[in-house]
Amino acid sequence: MNRTQASAVASVEIRQAGSGDRDAIRDFLAALSPRTNYLRFFTTASPTTAAMLRILTGVGDNVDAVVAAEKETIIGHAMAVDKVGPRGTDTVEIGVVVTDARQGGGIGSALVRTLTARAKARGATSVAMDVLAENRQVLDMIENHWPGARRDNSTACVTIHARLPQHKEGQKGDGPFSGRRLGRRPWDSGRRGQRRPTQQPAAGVSVGRSRDLSGCSP
């Protein structure tokens, strides 16, 4: 993160989302451009139904949601869904989006760092991301930051799997709200990534989305 990005993020509060954020999240999503909606949710329509807003506010045993707020206005949203891999490994699927006017300023990166830190504190060992195949900016960015990530390609979508660096024995989680344990559900994805990432990815428009929001088709 450069100095300009650090300055832009300094005024932003990143906190856990809750049911009280429902209206603010709905307004945030409704203000996204069709292109940003498409890259994040794979549709140009904003996911503002009651059921979707319930998930986006973090309701659910296996859902973790955070928002980036500036003067009480939400300008970014990120969510993680805890899963259990076929070998019993803990993994987390993440999705991030930032309002159009603030993209590229480091807010997405801060949201991803918060999500992954919280996931590691819960015991997650890997991360999965769904990205549209046409979203070259994000795919190149992830490849630069996570060169060891495994990519599963479909016609329109790329699913990326990467390892999360683990804490040494006796070391506590380093993320805010660490220690909060979410529930788990079976996950039917393929193999986990084989190499440790070098650092966390910076997020632009989107770093994929959770399959709980209708992700890549098999």
Side-chain angles (χ1 to χ4, degrees):
M1 183 182 296
N2 58 38
R3 291 184 178 181
T4 300
Q5 291 175 327
S7 176
V9 173
S11 63
V12 177
E13 176 191 15
I14 296 181
R15 58 173 175 78
Q16 186 170 353
S19 57
D21 294 311
R22 174 175 171 150
D23 291 343
I25 291 176
R26 181 190 60 206
D27 293 343
F28 160 73
L29 295 172
L32 296 176
S33 69
R35 177 64 177 171
T36 293
N37 264 312
Y38 178 64
L39 292 177
R40 171 61 178 87
F41 300 106
F42 296 8
T43 175
T44 57
S46 297
T48 54
T49 64
M52 297 303 281
L53 286 172
R54 186 173 181 272
I55 295 174
L56 292 167
T57 55
V59 176
D61 290 338
N62 65 329
V63 179
D64 187 23
V66 295
V67 294
E70 190 172 54
K71 297 180 179 179
E72 300 184 357
T73 299
I74 292 178
I75 59 175
H77 178 275
M79 66 175 291
V81 179
D82 286 4
K83 304 281 185 176
V84 177
R87 298 180 182 177
T89 56
D90 290 349
T91 191
V92 61
E93 295 175 355
I94 65 173
V96 181
V97 64
V98 176
T99 190
D100 289 73
R102 301 298 296 273
Q103 291 171 13
I107 296 171
S109 297
L111 286 165
V112 171
R113 285 195 299 271
T114 299
L115 278 184
T116 53
R118 290 163 64 115
K120 286 191 293 182
R122 296 192 301 271
T125 59
S126 63
V127 62
M129 298 157 279
D130 286 348
V131 183
L132 284 168
E134 67 184 78
N135 196 347
R136 294 304 316 173
Q137 179 182 359
V138 169
L139 290 173
D140 291 343
M141 174 190 60
I142 293 173
E143 183 175 351
N144 288 335
H145 288 275
W146 267 333
R150 176 171 61 86
R151 294 168 52 143
D152 294 337
N153 299 298
S154 65
T155 302
C157 177
V158 179
T159 299
I160 298 170
H161 305 272
R163 294 291 301 274
L164 289 175
Q166 298 303 299
H167 300 294
K168 296 180 181 179
E169 185 177 354
Q171 184 178 1
K172 295 182 180 180
D174 59 357
F177 313 105
S178 63
R180 177 182 176 225
R181 184 70 191 178
L182 302 182
R184 303 176 183 174
R185 295 188 309 198
W187 184 44
D188 59 359
S189 181
R191 299 166 299 165
R192 53 179 172 160
Q194 297 300 312
R195 291 177 56 190
R196 183 184 298 264
T198 56
Q199 66 183 80
Q200 304 298 344
V205 172
S206 169
V207 183
R209 65 176 183 176
S210 162
R211 286 178 182 79
D212 275 21
L213 295 181
S214 303
C216 293
S217 299

